[in-house]
Amino acid sequence: MTTPVFTYVLRLGDDALILAQRLSEWASRAPEIEEDIALTNMALDLLGQARALLDYAGSIEGKGRDEDDLAYLRIEREFTNVHLVEQENGDFAHTIARQLFFSTYQLALYEELISSRDELLAGVAAKGVKEAAYHRDHAMQWVMRLGDGTDESHRRMQAAIERLWPYTAELFDADDVEFLIEAEREQWAQHNTATYIDLGTDDAEPEADYARRCADWLVWKFEHIHGDAALLRDLLWGNWDDARFQIVQPGMQLGQSADANVMRAEPLPSK
């Protein structure tokens, strides 16, 4: 069952999950051995939070989905994380700036959630507040170290702050995000069918499966039909004939026709 609590818990779980995945990309690639371990440990902290939250979200929903189902078996539009956590790692300065912004927000959030009447949320927050405090302090030290370091490290740190700062507004403006999602869904509500046209390409099967899953999520009918790429291929290769293509020569323009052709080429109006 989709409830406000489910939506809220899912959002928290998605935030932690996506940032954990981003941080894990630094494994064996960090600028220092110690930092390699630190970033990996932070990723593990966030992954632990994500597991607890997604498992709880699944139990609230009551559809038999567990943490793995919610982590791996959803399409992109079903994830509710803030955009900040999914930003690419970039250079080390960008990763640190992103971590400082998010962990500062998460620490303040968890400090409040400790007193939640929801015992499981309060439990996750009680453990997570210690982790978030370490993540924030670690990031803060690196921001000062890079910002007060060489001209190059200062330039990179400043650039990272300026690039990622706009994403912090969403951390405190979730209602607007929900409004945009609902507005988009209202537009989708005008349609009821998704059609995948199979042109016989090598990636047709996974693309058709993705289209089918999107249709399921939107509660639409799904059609899988076979198409012919010959027209597109001839268009690109210049194999144009009058039967299949409307050719507009220099000095001509497209105009409407009253016959089955719908469009026709006609002379440009004289100036």
Side-chain angles (χ1 to χ4, degrees), residues 5-269:
V5 176
F6 167 77
T7 301
Y8 184 68
V9 173
L10 185 67
R11 179 183 299 144
L12 297 183
D14 285 348
D15 286 344
L17 174 67
I18 300 304
L19 187 54
Q21 292 175 334
R22 280 301 192 199
L23 289 175
S24 68
E25 295 172 11
W26 277 103
S28 77
R29 294 178 173 84
E32 298 177 355
I33 294 177
E34 183 177 357
E35 192 59 25
D36 198 308
I37 301 302
L39 291 175
T40 302
N41 282 336
M42 290 162 66
L44 288 172
D45 288 342
L46 290 164
L47 185 61
Q49 297 171 23
R51 291 188 61 191
L53 291 165
L54 293 180
D55 187 65
Y56 183 37
S59 67
I60 296 172
E61 183 185 40
K63 295 182 179 180
R65 294 198 291 181
D66 60 16
E67 62 192 72
D68 290 331
D69 295 324
L70 291 172
Y72 297 118
L73 302 182
R74 285 183 290 162
I75 59 177
E76 292 92 333
R77 289 183 182 275
E78 293 181 276
F79 281 84
T80 59
N81 57 277
V82 294
H83 288 86
L84 174 65
V85 297
E86 67 184 51
Q87 297 308 301
E88 294 184 359
N89 289 329
D91 61 16
F92 186 64
H94 278 75
T95 293
I96 289 301
R98 182 188 63 201
Q99 191 62 46
L100 177 62
F101 291 153
F102 182 76
S103 56
T104 299
Y105 152 78
Q106 191 185 53
L107 176 59
L109 176 66
Y110 279 176
E111 286 175 340
E112 294 299 319
L113 282 178
I114 288 176
S115 58
S116 171
R117 288 178 293 178
D118 187 306
E119 293 183 2
L120 197 145
L121 266 182
V124 172
K127 181 176 184 296
V129 73
K130 301 174 184 177
E131 297 168 341
Y134 165 73
H135 297 175
R136 183 200 60 179
D137 292 345
H138 183 83
M140 187 182 300
Q141 291 175 24
W142 269 110
V143 167
M144 292 188 293
R145 181 176 174 182
L146 294 174
D148 295 337
T150 65
D151 290 343
E152 178 64 13
S153 69
H154 176 85
R155 182 189 68 78
R156 287 175 178 262
M157 195 69 251
Q158 185 64 42
I161 294 292
E162 292 176 358
R163 180 186 178 278
L164 294 170
W165 178 254
Y167 291 98
T168 61
E170 186 183 357
L171 300 175
F172 308 98
D173 202 19
D175 289 341
D176 284 354
V177 175
E178 290 178 354
F179 171 78
L180 292 174
I181 292 174
E182 288 304 318
E184 190 175 39
R185 284 178 176 169
E186 288 180 5
Q187 295 180 344
W188 297 341
Q190 301 177 30
H191 307 278
N192 60 15
T193 303
T195 302
Y196 178 76
I197 302 176
D198 190 339
L199 297 179
T201 57
D202 293 338
D203 54 358
E205 185 174 343
E207 287 184 349
D209 181 65
Y210 175 76
R212 183 181 295 105
R213 291 168 58 197
C214 289
D216 290 343
W217 184 69
L218 293 167
V219 196
W220 287 0
K221 294 183 295 183
F222 175 73
E223 295 178 347
H224 185 169
I225 63 177
H226 292 277
D228 186 353
L231 188 65
L232 177 60
R233 183 167 53 248
D234 288 344
L235 172 65
L236 296 175
W237 284 97
N239 299 324
W240 307 332
D241 57 73
D242 293 335
R244 297 181 302 157
F245 296 92
Q246 179 63 66
I247 303 172
V248 183
Q249 301 287 356
M252 306 290 283
Q253 67 178 9
L254 277 177
Q256 293 183 342
S257 65
D259 55 25
N261 291 327
V262 181
M263 305 293 291
R264 67 183 178 185
E266 57 186 26
L268 286 170

